[in-house]
């Protein structure tokens, strides 16, 4: 009859669901996120965790590259303003993801880390802040900045800049980003 | 940009002796941005002439005290160092916010574009733009996304 077969089918699916989720219930989940799907058939409710396989990324223009940036031909083309690109390599609290997970080569990982730092200091990633305990309001003045090489707290004022021939320059940007393609006529100045 | 217009060098009939500079109005000076770490590193110093009268103030402190001072000093130091400089500074009008007096607002002729492109924040991008941007890397199967 239809009902017992359905029930048996439901039971086997429930058992497989149990086996699949048994590890997840006993200890904290150590596997990838799954989509929870709940199916009710009469008196049987099947809750299943399905792996989402529908991530259809378009093929990169250079599939023979070693790291994602080489594969998409973006080697010297990104800067601190390209937040859409940088946000793919950061955690939700603003830190960088490890290199063994993202697959970036060392120099690109460092460049992305530097760009992410500059984007944070420019205020371009407002939702990737570390969690503050109470409703703590920061007393620091909110000043607009961009291309900051060093952290705001660590920099000391330059009280004496010296004469023109041995001036102490203001460091802007980062030397790792010197090789970026510049479509304007002015070169990238790192010392202001 | 404003220095060129204060001197009158944007006009083909420019001459240093003919007083052909324009008035320049700059608004939102409170929201000015410095590149690099200049907010902490740049020091504005002044000496009153008396012994022990050296006052050295960082750009942050000066900006908090007077939001127009940074722009004013920057333009003052870019103008040619002659007696016309003071008159050109009198023709410069700085306002920390959007609020402009009525008589100046009615006399405005041309609005100049910002010289630098302001980058968009992540929450200023529309969802379609975020979706149109492809994922560059696929997370491994066992990876638990934070």
């Amino acid at each position: 009859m239809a009902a017992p077969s359905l029930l048996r089918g439901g039971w086997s699916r429930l058992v497989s669901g149990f086996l699949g989720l048994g590890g997840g219930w006993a200890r904290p989940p150590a596997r990838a996120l799954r989509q929870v799907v709940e199916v009710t058939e009469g008196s049987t409710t099947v809750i299943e965790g399905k792996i989402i396989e529908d991530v259809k990324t378009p093929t990169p223009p250079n599939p023979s590259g070693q790291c994602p940036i080489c594969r998409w031909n973006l080697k010297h083309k990104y800067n601190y303003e390209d937040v859409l690109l940088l946000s793919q390599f950061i955690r939700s609290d603003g830190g960088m993801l490890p290199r063994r997970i993202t697959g970036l080569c060392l120099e690109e990982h460092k460049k992305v880390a530097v760009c992410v730092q500059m984007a944070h200091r420019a205020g371009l990633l407002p939702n990737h802040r570390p969690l503050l305990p109470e409703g703590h309001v920061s007393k620091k003045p909110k000043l607009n900045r961009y291309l900051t090489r060093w952290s705001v707290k660590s920099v000391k004022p330059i009280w004496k800049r010296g004469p023109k021939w041995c001036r102490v320059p203001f460091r802007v940007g980062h030397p790792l980003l010197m090789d970026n393609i510049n479509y304007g006529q002015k070169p990238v100045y790192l010392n202001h | 940009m404003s220095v060129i217009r204060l001197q009158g060098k944007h006009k083909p009939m420019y001459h240093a002796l003919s007083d052909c500079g324009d008035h320049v109005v700059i608004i939102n000076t409170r929201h000015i941005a410095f590149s690099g770490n200049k907010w902490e590193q740049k020091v504005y110093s002044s000496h009153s002439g008396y012994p022990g009268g050296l006052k050295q103030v960082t750009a942050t402190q000066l900006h908090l005290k007077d939001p127009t001072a940074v722009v004013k000093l920057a333009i003052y130091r870019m103008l040619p160092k002659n007696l016309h400089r003071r008159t050109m500074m009198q023709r410069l009008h700085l306002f920390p916010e959007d609020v402009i007096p009525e008589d100046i607002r009615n006399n405005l002729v041309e609005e100049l574009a910002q010289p630098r492109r302001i980058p968009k924040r992540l929450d200023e991008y529309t969802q379609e733009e975020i979706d149109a941007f492809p994922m560059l890397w696929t997370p491994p199967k066992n990876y638990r996304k934070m």
Side-chain angles (χ1 to χ4, degrees), chain A residues 29-30 32 68 72 81 83-85 87-89 97 101-102 123-126 128 141 143-150 152 155-159 170-172 192, chain B residues 31-43 56 58 60 63-64 116-117 119-123 125 129-130 133-137 140-144 146:
Chain A
W72 286 85
E81 328 158 300
V83 193
L84 289 170
L85 190 142
S87 60
Q88 293 182 6
F89 297 105
L97 290 170
I101 303 282
T102 57
L124 297 175
L125 297 162
H128 292 265
L143 296 164
N144 297 330
R145 54 186 86 232
Y146 58 102
L147 291 171
T148 33
R149 191 186 292 192
W150 294 309
V152 173
V155 182
K156 293 275 176 307
I158 300 177
W159 299 111
F170 295 120
R171 308 285 183 186
V172 173
H192 280 198
Chain B
H31 308 290
I32 204 119
F34 259 138
S35 55
N37 290 91
K38 288 183 206 164
W39 281 119
E40 291 77 38
Q41 285 183 318
K42 202 165 170 61
V43 165
Q56 283 184 305
T58 52
T60 352
H63 189 72
L64 293 169
R116 267 193 85 98
R117 193 169 45 92
K120 272 206 230 176
R121 287 202 315 261
L122 191 56
D123 43 357
Y125 279 103
E129 284 173 332
I130 298 175
F133 201 86
M135 270 293 281
L136 297 183
W137 60 290
K141 281 265 165 65
N142 289 345
Y143 180 60
R144 191 168 138 240
M146 298 286 188

Coordinates of all heavy atoms in Angstrom, one line a residue, chain A residues 29-30 32 68 72 81 83-85 87-89 97 101-102 123-126 128 141 143-150 152 155-159 170-172 192, chain B residues 31-43 56 58 60 63-64 116-117 119-123 125 129-130 133-137 140-144 146:
Chain A
P29 N 29.3 21.4 15.5 CA 29.5 21.1 14.1 C 30.8 21.5 13.6 O 31.2 22.6 13.7 CB 28.3 21.8 13.3 CG 28.0 22.9 14.2 CD 28.2 22.5 15.6
A30 N 31.5 20.5 13.0 CA 32.8 20.8 12.4 C 32.8 20.8 10.9 O 33.9 20.8 10.3 CB 33.8 19.7 12.9
A32 N 30.8 21.9 7.0 CA 30.3 23.2 6.3 C 28.9 23.4 6.7 O 28.2 22.5 7.2 CB 30.5 23.0 4.8
P68 N 43.5 33.2 -6.5 CA 42.3 33.8 -7.1 C 42.6 35.1 -7.9 O 42.0 35.3 -8.9 CB 41.4 34.0 -5.9 CG 42.0 33.2 -4.8 CD 43.4 32.8 -5.1
W72 N 41.8 35.7 -11.9 CA 40.9 36.7 -12.5 C 41.6 37.9 -13.1 O 41.0 38.9 -13.3 CB 40.0 37.2 -11.3 CG 38.9 36.2 -11.0 CD1 39.1 35.2 -10.1 CD2 37.6 36.1 -11.5 NE1 37.9 34.4 -10.1 CE2 37.0 35.0 -10.9 CE3 36.9 36.8 -12.4 CZ2 35.7 34.6 -11.2 CZ3 35.6 36.5 -12.7 CH2 35.0 35.4 -12.1
E81 N 40.0 51.1 -2.3 CA 38.6 51.5 -2.5 C 37.8 50.3 -3.0 O 36.6 50.4 -3.0 CB 38.5 52.6 -3.6 CG 39.7 53.4 -3.5 CD 40.0 54.2 -4.8 OE1 40.2 53.5 -5.8 OE2 40.0 55.4 -4.7
V83 N 36.1 47.7 -2.3 CA 35.6 47.1 -1.1 C 35.0 45.7 -1.4 O 35.0 44.8 -0.7 CB 34.7 48.0 -0.4 CG1 34.4 47.5 1.0 CG2 35.2 49.4 -0.3
L84 N 34.3 45.7 -2.6 CA 33.6 44.4 -3.0 C 34.6 43.3 -3.1 O 34.3 42.1 -2.8 CB 32.9 44.6 -4.4 CG 31.7 45.5 -4.3 CD1 31.3 45.8 -5.7 CD2 30.6 44.9 -3.6
L85 N 35.8 43.6 -3.6 CA 36.8 42.5 -3.7 C 37.4 42.2 -2.3 O 37.6 41.0 -2.0 CB 37.9 43.0 -4.6 CG 39.0 42.1 -5.1 CD1 39.3 42.4 -6.5 CD2 40.2 42.2 -4.3
S87 N 36.1 42.6 0.6 CA 35.2 42.0 1.6 C 35.1 40.5 1.4 O 34.6 39.8 2.3 CB 33.8 42.6 1.5 OG 33.3 42.4 0.2
Q88 N 35.6 39.9 0.3 CA 35.5 38.5 0.2 C 36.6 37.8 0.9 O 36.6 36.6 1.1 CB 35.7 38.1 -1.3 CG 34.5 38.6 -2.1 CD 34.7 38.1 -3.6 OE1 35.6 37.4 -3.9 NE2 33.8 38.6 -4.4
F89 N 37.6 38.5 1.4 CA 38.7 37.9 2.1 C 38.8 38.2 3.6 O 39.8 38.0 4.2 CB 40.1 38.4 1.4 CG 40.2 37.9 0.0 CD1 40.0 38.8 -1.0 CD2 40.5 36.6 -0.3 CE1 40.2 38.5 -2.3 CE2 40.6 36.2 -1.6 CZ 40.5 37.2 -2.6
L97 N 41.1 36.5 6.5 CA 41.0 35.0 6.5 C 42.4 34.4 6.2 O 43.2 35.0 5.5 CB 40.1 34.6 5.4 CG 38.6 34.9 5.7 CD1 37.8 34.6 4.4 CD2 38.1 34.1 6.8
I101 N 43.2 29.0 3.5 CA 41.8 28.8 3.2 C 41.5 29.5 1.9 O 40.9 29.0 1.0 CB 40.9 29.4 4.3 CG1 41.2 28.7 5.7 CG2 39.4 29.3 3.9 CD1 40.6 27.4 5.8
T102 N 41.9 30.8 1.8 CA 41.6 31.6 0.6 C 42.4 31.1 -0.6 O 41.9 31.3 -1.8 CB 41.8 33.1 0.8 OG1 43.2 33.2 1.2 CG2 40.9 33.6 1.9
G123 N 37.1 53.9 6.9 CA 35.7 53.8 7.3 C 34.9 53.2 6.2 O 33.7 53.4 6.1
L124 N 35.5 52.4 5.3 CA 34.7 51.9 4.1 C 34.1 50.5 4.5 O 33.3 50.0 3.7 CB 35.7 51.7 2.9 CG 36.3 52.9 2.4 CD1 37.3 52.6 1.3 CD2 35.2 53.8 1.8
L125 N 34.4 50.0 5.6 CA 33.8 48.7 6.0 C 33.2 48.9 7.4 O 33.7 48.4 8.4 CB 34.9 47.6 6.1 CG 35.7 47.3 4.8 CD1 37.0 46.6 5.1 CD2 34.8 46.4 3.9
P126 N 32.0 49.5 7.4 CA 31.4 49.9 8.7 C 30.8 48.7 9.4 O 30.7 48.7 10.6 CB 30.3 50.9 8.3 CG 30.0 50.7 6.9 CD 31.2 50.1 6.3
H128 N 32.0 45.6 9.5 CA 33.0 44.5 9.9 C 33.8 44.9 11.1 O 35.0 44.9 11.1 CB 33.9 44.3 8.7 CG 33.2 43.6 7.5 ND1 33.2 42.3 7.3 CD2 32.5 44.2 6.5 CE1 32.5 42.0 6.2 NE2 32.1 43.2 5.7
P141 N 37.9 61.3 18.1 CA 37.3 62.2 17.0 C 37.2 61.5 15.7 O 38.1 60.8 15.3 CB 38.2 63.4 16.9 CG 39.5 62.9 17.5 CD 39.2 61.8 18.5
L143 N 37.6 61.4 12.2 CA 38.2 62.2 11.1 C 38.3 61.4 9.9 O 38.6 60.2 9.9 CB 39.6 62.7 11.5 CG 39.6 63.6 12.8 CD1 41.0 63.6 13.3 CD2 39.2 65.0 12.4
N144 N 38.0 62.0 8.7 CA 38.1 61.3 7.4 C 39.6 61.1 7.0 O 40.4 62.1 7.1 CB 37.4 62.1 6.3 CG 36.0 62.2 6.6 OD1 35.4 61.3 7.3 ND2 35.4 63.3 6.2
R145 N 39.9 60.0 6.6 CA 41.3 59.7 6.2 C 41.3 58.7 5.1 O 40.4 57.9 4.9 CB 42.2 59.3 7.4 CG 41.7 58.1 8.1 CD 42.5 57.8 9.3 NE 42.1 58.5 10.5 CZ 42.9 59.2 11.2 NH1 44.2 59.3 10.9 NH2 42.5 59.9 12.3
Y146 N 42.4 58.6 4.3 CA 42.5 57.6 3.3 C 44.0 57.3 3.1 O 44.9 58.1 3.4 CB 41.9 58.0 2.0 CG 42.4 59.3 1.4 CD1 43.2 59.3 0.3 CD2 42.0 60.5 1.9 CE1 43.7 60.4 -0.3 CE2 42.4 61.7 1.3 CZ 43.3 61.6 0.2 OH 43.8 62.8 -0.3
L147 N 44.3 56.1 2.6 CA 45.7 55.7 2.3 C 46.6 55.8 3.5 O 47.8 56.3 3.5 CB 46.3 56.6 1.2 CG 45.7 56.3 -0.2 CD1 46.2 57.3 -1.2 CD2 46.1 54.9 -0.7
T148 N 46.1 55.4 4.7 CA 46.9 55.5 5.9 C 47.8 54.2 6.0 O 47.3 53.1 6.0 CB 46.0 55.5 7.1 OG1 44.8 54.7 6.8 CG2 45.5 56.8 7.5
R149 N 49.1 54.4 6.1 CA 50.0 53.3 6.2 C 50.0 52.7 7.6 O 50.1 51.5 7.8 CB 51.4 53.7 5.8 CG 52.3 52.6 5.5 CD 53.7 53.0 5.3 NE 53.8 53.7 4.0 CZ 55.0 54.0 3.4 NH1 56.1 53.7 4.0 NH2 55.0 54.6 2.3
W150 N 50.0 53.6 8.6 CA 50.2 53.1 10.0 C 48.9 53.3 10.8 O 48.0 54.0 10.4 CB 51.3 53.9 10.6 CG 52.6 53.6 10.0 CD1 53.2 52.4 9.7 CD2 53.6 54.5 9.5 NE1 54.4 52.5 9.1 CE2 54.6 53.8 8.9 CE3 53.6 55.9 9.4 CZ2 55.7 54.4 8.3 CZ3 54.7 56.5 8.9 CH2 55.8 55.8 8.3
V152 N 46.3 54.4 13.6 CA 46.1 55.8 14.1 C 46.7 56.0 15.5 O 47.3 57.0 15.8 CB 44.6 56.1 14.1 CG1 44.3 57.4 14.8 CG2 44.1 56.0 12.7
V155 N 51.0 56.4 15.8 CA 51.8 57.4 15.1 C 52.0 58.6 16.0 O 51.1 59.0 16.7 CB 51.0 57.9 13.8 CG1 51.9 58.9 13.1 CG2 50.8 56.7 13.0
K156 N 53.3 59.1 16.0 CA 53.6 60.2 16.8 C 53.7 61.5 15.9 O 54.1 61.3 14.8 CB 54.9 60.0 17.5 CG 54.9 58.9 18.6 CD 54.4 59.5 19.9 CE 54.2 58.5 21.0 NZ 53.5 57.4 20.9
P157 N 53.4 62.7 16.4 CA 53.5 63.8 15.6 C 55.0 64.1 15.3 O 55.9 63.8 16.1 CB 53.0 65.0 16.5 CG 52.4 64.4 17.7 CD 52.9 63.0 17.8
I158 N 55.2 64.7 14.0 CA 56.6 65.0 13.6 C 56.8 66.4 14.1 O 56.3 67.4 13.4 CB 56.7 64.8 12.1 CG1 56.4 63.4 11.7 CG2 58.1 65.2 11.7 CD1 56.5 63.2 10.2
W159 N 57.4 66.7 15.2 CA 57.5 68.0 15.7 C 58.5 68.9 14.9 O 58.2 70.0 14.7 CB 58.0 68.0 17.2 CG 57.1 67.3 18.1 CD1 57.3 66.1 18.7 CD2 55.8 67.7 18.5 NE1 56.2 65.7 19.4 CE2 55.3 66.7 19.3 CE3 55.0 68.8 18.2 CZ2 54.0 66.7 19.9 CZ3 53.7 68.8 18.8 CH2 53.3 67.8 19.6
F170 N 55.9 62.8 4.9 CA 54.7 62.1 5.4 C 54.5 60.9 4.5 O 54.4 61.0 3.3 CB 53.4 63.0 5.3 CG 53.5 64.2 6.1 CD1 53.4 65.5 5.5 CD2 53.6 64.2 7.5 CE1 53.4 66.6 6.3 CE2 53.6 65.3 8.3 CZ 53.5 66.5 7.7
R171 N 54.5 59.7 5.1 CA 54.3 58.5 4.3 C 52.9 58.2 4.0 O 52.0 58.2 5.0 CB 54.9 57.3 5.1 CG 56.3 57.5 5.6 CD 57.3 57.4 4.5 NE 58.7 57.6 5.1 CZ 59.7 57.6 4.3 NH1 59.7 57.6 3.0 NH2 60.9 57.8 4.9
V172 N 52.6 58.0 2.8 CA 51.2 57.8 2.3 C 51.1 56.5 1.5 O 52.1 56.2 0.8 CB 50.7 59.0 1.4 CG1 49.4 58.8 0.8 CG2 50.7 60.3 2.2
H192 N 54.8 62.4 0.9 CA 54.2 63.7 0.6 C 55.0 64.8 1.3 O 55.5 64.6 2.4 CB 52.8 63.8 1.2 CG 51.8 63.1 0.2 ND1 50.5 63.3 0.2 CD2 52.0 62.3 -0.8 CE1 49.9 62.6 -0.7 NE2 50.8 62.0 -1.4
Chain B
H31 N 34.6 68.2 7.2 CA 34.6 66.8 6.8 C 35.8 66.5 5.8 O 35.7 65.6 5.0 CB 33.3 66.4 6.1 CG 32.1 66.7 6.9 ND1 31.8 66.0 8.1 CD2 31.2 67.7 6.8 CE1 30.7 66.5 8.6 NE2 30.3 67.5 7.9
I32 N 36.8 67.4 6.0 CA 37.9 67.2 5.1 C 38.7 66.0 5.4 O 38.7 65.5 6.6 CB 38.8 68.5 5.2 CG1 39.6 68.6 3.9 CG2 39.8 68.5 6.3 CD1 39.3 69.9 3.2
A33 N 39.4 65.4 4.4 CA 40.2 64.1 4.6 C 41.6 64.4 4.3 O 42.0 65.1 3.4 CB 39.6 63.0 3.7
F34 N 42.5 63.8 5.2 CA 43.9 63.8 5.0 C 44.4 62.5 4.5 O 43.9 61.5 5.0 CB 44.6 64.2 6.3 CG 45.1 65.6 6.4 CD1 44.9 66.3 7.6 CD2 45.7 66.2 5.3 CE1 45.3 67.6 7.7 CE2 46.1 67.6 5.5 CZ 45.9 68.2 6.6
S35 N 45.3 62.4 3.6 CA 45.9 61.1 3.2 C 47.0 60.8 4.2 O 47.5 61.6 4.9 CB 46.5 61.2 1.8 OG 47.4 62.2 1.7
G36 N 47.2 59.5 4.3 CA 48.3 59.0 5.2 C 47.9 59.3 6.6 O 46.7 59.3 7.0
N37 N 48.9 59.4 7.4 CA 48.7 59.6 8.9 C 48.9 61.1 9.2 O 49.3 61.4 10.3 CB 49.7 58.8 9.7 CG 49.3 57.3 9.6 OD1 49.8 56.6 8.8 ND2 48.4 56.9 10.5
K38 N 48.5 62.0 8.3 CA 48.8 63.4 8.5 C 48.0 64.0 9.7 O 48.4 64.9 10.3 CB 48.5 64.2 7.3 CG 49.6 64.0 6.2 CD 49.3 64.8 5.0 CE 49.9 64.1 3.8 NZ 49.4 64.7 2.5
W39 N 46.9 63.4 10.0 CA 46.1 63.9 11.1 C 46.9 63.8 12.4 O 46.8 64.7 13.2 CB 44.8 63.1 11.3 CG 43.7 63.5 10.4 CD1 43.1 62.7 9.5 CD2 43.0 64.8 10.2 NE1 42.1 63.3 8.8 CE2 42.1 64.6 9.3 CE3 43.2 66.0 10.8 CZ2 41.2 65.7 8.9 CZ3 42.4 67.1 10.5 CH2 41.4 66.9 9.5
E40 N 47.7 62.8 12.5 CA 48.5 62.6 13.7 C 49.9 63.2 13.5 O 50.5 63.7 14.5 CB 48.7 61.2 14.1 CG 47.4 60.5 14.5 CD 46.5 60.1 13.4 OE1 47.0 59.7 12.3 OE2 45.3 60.3 13.6
Q41 N 50.4 63.2 12.3 CA 51.8 63.6 12.1 C 52.0 65.1 11.9 O 53.0 65.6 12.2 CB 52.5 62.8 11.0 CG 52.7 61.4 11.3 CD 53.4 60.6 10.2 OE1 53.0 60.8 9.0 NE2 54.4 59.8 10.5
K42 N 51.0 65.7 11.2 CA 51.3 67.1 10.8 C 51.2 68.0 12.0 O 50.2 67.9 12.8 CB 50.2 67.5 9.7 CG 50.6 68.6 8.9 CD 49.7 68.7 7.7 CE 49.9 70.0 6.9 NZ 51.3 70.2 6.4
V43 N 52.1 68.9 12.1 CA 52.2 69.8 13.2 C 52.1 71.2 12.7 O 52.9 71.6 11.9 CB 53.5 69.6 14.0 CG1 53.7 70.7 15.0 CG2 53.4 68.3 14.8
Q56 N 52.9 74.4 19.5 CA 52.9 73.4 18.4 C 51.6 72.5 18.6 O 51.4 72.0 19.7 CB 54.1 72.5 18.5 CG 55.3 73.3 17.9 CD 56.5 72.4 17.9 OE1 57.0 71.9 18.9 NE2 57.1 72.3 16.7
T58 N 48.9 69.6 16.9 CA 48.8 68.6 15.8 C 47.5 69.0 15.0 O 46.6 69.7 15.4 CB 48.6 67.2 16.3 OG1 47.6 67.2 17.3 CG2 49.9 66.7 16.9
T60 N 45.0 67.2 14.2 CA 43.7 66.8 14.9 C 43.2 67.9 15.9 O 42.1 68.3 15.8 CB 43.9 65.5 15.7 OG1 45.1 65.0 15.4 CG2 42.8 64.5 15.4
H63 N 42.1 71.0 14.2 CA 40.8 70.8 13.5 C 39.6 70.8 14.4 O 38.6 71.4 14.2 CB 40.8 69.5 12.7 CG 39.7 69.3 11.7 ND1 39.5 70.1 10.6 CD2 38.6 68.5 11.8 CE1 38.4 69.7 10.0 NE2 37.9 68.7 10.7
L64 N 39.9 70.2 15.6 CA 38.8 70.2 16.6 C 38.5 71.5 17.1 O 37.4 71.9 17.4 CB 39.1 69.2 17.7 CG 39.2 67.7 17.3 CD1 39.8 66.9 18.4 CD2 37.8 67.2 16.9
R116 N 39.0 64.8 -6.0 CA 39.2 63.4 -5.8 C 37.9 62.6 -5.8 O 36.9 63.1 -5.3 CB 39.9 63.2 -4.5 CG 41.4 63.1 -4.5 CD 41.9 62.6 -3.2 NE 42.0 61.2 -3.2 CZ 43.0 60.4 -3.5 NH1 44.2 61.0 -3.8 NH2 43.0 59.1 -3.4
R117 N 38.0 61.4 -6.3 CA 36.8 60.6 -6.3 C 36.6 60.0 -4.9 O 37.6 59.4 -4.3 CB 36.9 59.4 -7.3 CG 35.7 58.7 -7.7 CD 36.0 57.8 -8.9 NE 37.3 57.1 -8.8 CZ 37.4 55.9 -8.3 NH1 36.4 55.2 -7.8 NH2 38.6 55.3 -8.2
P119 N 35.5 57.2 -2.5 CA 35.1 55.8 -2.6 C 33.8 55.4 -1.9 O 33.5 56.1 -0.9 CB 36.3 55.0 -2.0 CG 36.9 56.0 -1.1 CD 36.7 57.3 -1.6
K120 N 33.1 54.4 -2.4 CA 31.8 54.1 -1.8 C 32.1 53.1 -0.7 O 32.9 52.2 -0.8 CB 31.0 53.3 -2.9 CG 30.1 54.2 -3.7 CD 28.9 53.4 -4.2 CE 28.8 53.5 -5.7 NZ 27.7 52.7 -6.2
R121 N 31.3 53.3 0.4 CA 31.4 52.3 1.5 C 30.7 51.0 1.1 O 29.9 51.0 0.2 CB 30.7 52.9 2.7 CG 31.4 54.0 3.4 CD 30.9 54.1 4.8 NE 29.5 54.1 5.0 CZ 28.7 55.1 5.1 NH1 29.2 56.3 5.1 NH2 27.4 54.9 5.2
L122 N 30.9 50.0 1.9 CA 30.4 48.7 1.5 C 28.8 48.7 1.6 O 28.2 48.1 0.8 CB 30.9 47.6 2.5 CG 30.7 46.2 2.0 CD1 31.2 45.9 0.6 CD2 31.3 45.2 3.0
D123 N 28.3 49.4 2.6 CA 26.8 49.4 2.7 C 26.2 50.4 1.7 O 25.0 50.5 1.6 CB 26.4 49.8 4.1 CG 27.1 50.9 4.7 OD1 28.1 51.4 4.0 OD2 26.8 51.3 5.8
Y125 N 26.8 50.2 -1.6 CA 26.6 49.4 -2.8 C 25.2 48.8 -2.8 O 24.8 48.3 -1.8 CB 27.7 48.3 -2.9 CG 29.0 48.8 -3.4 CD1 30.1 49.0 -2.5 CD2 29.2 49.1 -4.8 CE1 31.3 49.5 -3.0 CE2 30.4 49.5 -5.2 CZ 31.5 49.7 -4.3 OH 32.7 50.2 -4.8
E129 N 24.6 45.1 -7.3 CA 26.1 45.3 -7.6 C 26.9 44.2 -6.8 O 27.8 43.6 -7.3 CB 26.5 46.7 -7.2 CG 26.1 47.7 -8.2 CD 26.5 49.1 -7.7 OE1 26.5 49.3 -6.4 OE2 26.7 50.0 -8.5
I130 N 26.4 44.0 -5.5 CA 27.1 43.0 -4.7 C 27.0 41.6 -5.3 O 27.9 40.8 -5.3 CB 26.6 43.0 -3.2 CG1 26.9 44.4 -2.6 CG2 27.3 42.0 -2.4 CD1 26.3 44.6 -1.3
F133 N 29.1 41.0 -8.5 CA 30.5 40.7 -8.3 C 30.7 39.3 -8.0 O 30.2 38.8 -7.0 CB 31.0 41.6 -7.2 CG 32.5 41.9 -7.2 CD1 33.0 42.9 -7.9 CD2 33.3 41.1 -6.5 CE1 34.3 43.2 -8.0 CE2 34.7 41.3 -6.5 CZ 35.2 42.4 -7.2
P134 N 31.5 38.6 -8.8 CA 31.7 37.1 -8.6 C 32.6 36.8 -7.4 O 33.5 37.6 -7.1 CB 32.3 36.6 -9.9 CG 33.0 37.8 -10.4 CD 32.3 39.0 -10.0
M135 N 32.3 35.6 -6.8 CA 33.2 35.1 -5.7 C 34.5 34.7 -6.4 O 34.5 33.9 -7.3 CB 32.6 33.9 -5.0 CG 31.7 34.3 -3.8 SD 32.6 35.0 -2.5 CE 33.4 33.6 -1.7
L136 N 35.6 35.2 -5.8 CA 36.9 34.9 -6.5 C 37.4 33.5 -6.1 O 38.2 32.9 -6.8 CB 37.9 35.9 -6.1 CG 37.7 37.4 -6.5 CD1 38.8 38.2 -6.1 CD2 37.5 37.4 -8.0
W137 N 37.0 33.0 -4.9 CA 37.6 31.8 -4.4 C 36.4 31.0 -3.8 O 35.5 31.5 -3.3 CB 38.6 32.0 -3.4 CG 38.1 32.8 -2.2 CD1 37.8 34.1 -2.1 CD2 37.9 32.2 -0.8 NE1 37.4 34.4 -0.9 CE2 37.4 33.3 0.0 CE3 38.1 31.0 -0.3 CZ2 37.1 33.2 1.3 CZ3 37.8 30.9 1.1 CH2 37.3 31.9 1.8
P140 N 36.7 25.7 1.0 CA 36.8 24.3 1.0 C 35.6 23.7 1.7 O 34.9 24.3 2.5 CB 38.1 24.0 1.7 CG 38.4 25.2 2.4 CD 37.8 26.4 1.7
K141 N 35.3 22.3 1.5 CA 34.1 21.7 1.9 C 34.0 21.8 3.4 O 32.9 21.9 4.0 CB 34.1 20.2 1.5 CG 33.7 20.0 0.1 CD 32.2 19.7 0.0 CE 31.6 19.8 -1.4 NZ 32.2 18.8 -2.3
N142 N 35.1 21.6 4.1 CA 35.0 21.5 5.6 C 35.1 22.8 6.3 O 35.2 22.9 7.5 CB 36.2 20.7 6.1 CG 36.1 19.2 5.8 OD1 35.0 18.8 5.4 ND2 37.2 18.5 5.8
Y143 N 35.0 23.9 5.5 CA 35.3 25.2 6.1 C 34.0 25.7 6.8 O 32.9 25.7 6.2 CB 35.8 26.2 5.1 CG 36.0 27.5 5.6 CD1 37.0 27.7 6.6 CD2 35.3 28.6 5.1 CE1 37.2 29.0 7.1 CE2 35.6 29.9 5.7 CZ 36.5 30.0 6.7 OH 36.8 31.3 7.2
R144 N 34.1 26.2 8.0 CA 33.0 26.7 8.7 C 33.0 28.2 8.6 O 33.9 28.8 9.2 CB 33.0 26.2 10.2 CG 31.8 26.5 10.9 CD 31.8 25.7 12.2 NE 31.3 26.6 13.3 CZ 31.9 27.0 14.4 NH1 33.2 26.6 14.6 NH2 31.4 27.7 15.3
M146 N 32.6 32.0 9.4 CA 32.3 32.7 10.6 C 31.1 33.7 10.4 O 31.2 34.5 9.4 CB 33.6 33.5 11.0 CG 34.7 32.6 11.3 SD 34.5 31.9 12.8 CE 36.1 31.1 13.0

